[in-house]
Amino acid sequence: MAYAYDDQNIFAKILRGEIPNDTVMETEHSLAFRDIRPQAPQHVLVIPKGPYVTFDHFALEASEAEIVDYTRTIGEICKMMGIQPGEGGAGYRTLSNAGEDAVQEVPHLHVHILAGRPLGPMLMRA
Ligand code: 5GP
């Protein structure tokens, strides 16, 4: 089943400038902004500007230019936040929820970058 993109989702509205956001970085194909309900001292969301619902949708259908821009933007944000373990930073977690089992709230691809405290185990035990 192909993905159907809902252009009324909250991140689509942010991209159109209909809702304000606390922008961290903007590039040709990507936008990064602070999460409105941060779950760590640093909590940034990175989204592609194109209409992609999930990571697999983006990874399979986005252009190479979009994929390179998006991936590099995530790297640049880690650098800007000073969280790269290879540069003496304390580390971070990236995650992207997709679909029902992952409880994806907003149906526009977003990678969370969480940092600034010990983040605990990867998943809660059921
Ligand atoms: P998901 O559960 O889909 O992975 O995460 C969606 C994230 O979007 C949540 O962490 C939530 O706090 C954030 N969020 C929802 N609405 C808004 C908004 O209007 N502005 C910002 N900056 N973040 C939002």
Side-chain angles (χ1 to χ4, degrees):
M1 187 180 79
Y3 282 108
Y5 181 79
D6 169 14
D7 69 4
Q8 292 308 305
N9 78 75
I10 202 95
F11 294 168
K13 291 180 181 176
I14 284 177
L15 283 168
R16 290 195 294 267
E18 294 166 14
I19 292 178
N21 74 91
D22 186 1
T23 297
V24 169
M25 191 175 290
E26 180 166 10
T27 66
E28 184 180 359
H29 295 294
S30 311
L31 179 70
F33 51 92
R34 296 192 190 285
D35 196 293
I36 205 166
R37 293 189 300 271
Q39 295 184 40
Q42 300 198 73
H43 188 170
V44 171
L45 301 171
V46 192
I47 66 174
K49 291 183 175 175
Y52 303 103
V53 181
T54 60
F55 195 88
D56 63 278
H57 187 199
F58 179 75
L60 292 170
E61 294 189 17
S63 67
E64 289 184 14
E66 289 174 301
I67 291 170
V68 169
D69 179 299
Y70 190 62
T71 307
R72 289 263 193 258
T73 298
I74 292 171
E76 290 295 339
I77 291 165
C78 291
K79 195 170 166 182
M80 198 180 86
M81 289 164 78
I83 56 179
Q84 297 164 278
E87 297 291 337
Y92 59 91
R93 180 168 295 151
T94 52
L95 68 89
S96 184
N97 294 315
E100 192 181 328
D101 276 1
V103 199
Q104 181 178 8
E105 182 190 330
V106 182
H108 182 114
L109 167 61
H110 47 287
V111 163
H112 297 254
I113 304 176
L114 297 143
R117 67 167 172 81
L119 295 163
M122 186 170 70
L123 293 174
M124 243 174 14
R125 293 195 189 279

